[in-house]
Amino acid sequence: MRPFWKSEVTDTKDVRESVLNSEGYGPNLIVFDGECVLCSWFFKFMLRHDKLRCFQFATAQSPLGQKLYQQLGLPTRNFETNLVIVDGVVYQHLDAFAAAMRQLPGMWKLLSICRFLPKALKVPVYRLIARNRYNLFGRSGACLMPGADVKARFASDGF
């Protein structure tokens, strides 16, 4: 478990060079827990509202997701955060949500205001929800089987 004061934004050269700049990966990526109903809802929301197709996607369970979580020193089984990577900068927890909202068109950008909440408040609240997300929102019993149009939005090794 990370202390609440640890940085939620990671700009690590190692992660960018070894994973994000590899062939098939773009600079903007969302990595989400494919078994979590809440996380899958976030993925579907982003898929629907990312009209400019800024983001590629990967599940945390995929080879790419596992590699990213491992390189960031995050758990590779009991995921404590989605990752949102914008221009090679890795965001975690509520900052990840804010970074994703900033990339959307129109009024959705307003939701990024949550990044200004005090870290002493936003990180513990996020972690409380993340730890109880399966109890609160459920766990998907079926694998995501995307059609060709959705599968095209996944990064290489992201599914």
Side-chain angles (χ1 to χ4, degrees), residues 13-22 25 67 71:
K13 185 176 180 185
D14 292 342
V15 171
R16 284 196 316 245
E17 288 181 356
S18 65
V19 178
L20 299 175
N21 289 338
S22 300
Y25 310 124
K67 193 173 189 179
Q71 287 189 347

Side-chain angles (χ1 to χ4, degrees), residues 35-39 124-140:
E35 296 176 358
C36 167
V37 171
L38 178 63
C39 305
V125 169
Y126 184 96
R127 286 194 176 143
L128 179 67
I129 293 169
R131 286 191 190 116
N132 294 293
R133 69 190 183 278
Y134 296 134
N135 293 333
L136 295 170
F137 302 99
R139 190 177 205 139
S140 179

Side-chain angles (χ1 to χ4, degrees), residues 4-75:
F4 72 85
W5 60 86
K6 183 122 177 162
S7 175
E8 300 307 309
V9 178
T10 308
D11 187 9
T12 59
K13 185 176 180 185
D14 292 342
V15 171
R16 284 196 316 245
E17 288 181 356
S18 65
V19 178
L20 299 175
N21 289 338
S22 300
E23 187 174 326
Y25 310 124
N28 299 333
L29 179 70
I30 294 176
V31 186
F32 66 99
D33 181 350
E35 296 176 358
C36 167
V37 171
L38 178 63
C39 305
S40 294
W41 176 87
F42 175 63
F43 157 68
K44 291 173 187 172
F45 173 88
M46 291 303 296
L47 198 62
R48 187 170 49 253
H49 295 288
D50 182 19
K51 303 290 186 199
L52 298 176
R53 301 173 73 89
C54 293
F55 286 103
Q56 289 182 300
F57 300 94
T59 64
Q61 293 84 358
S62 70
L64 174 59
Q66 290 289 292
K67 193 173 189 179
L68 284 167
Y69 280 82
Q70 185 177 31
Q71 287 189 347
L72 291 167
L74 297 171

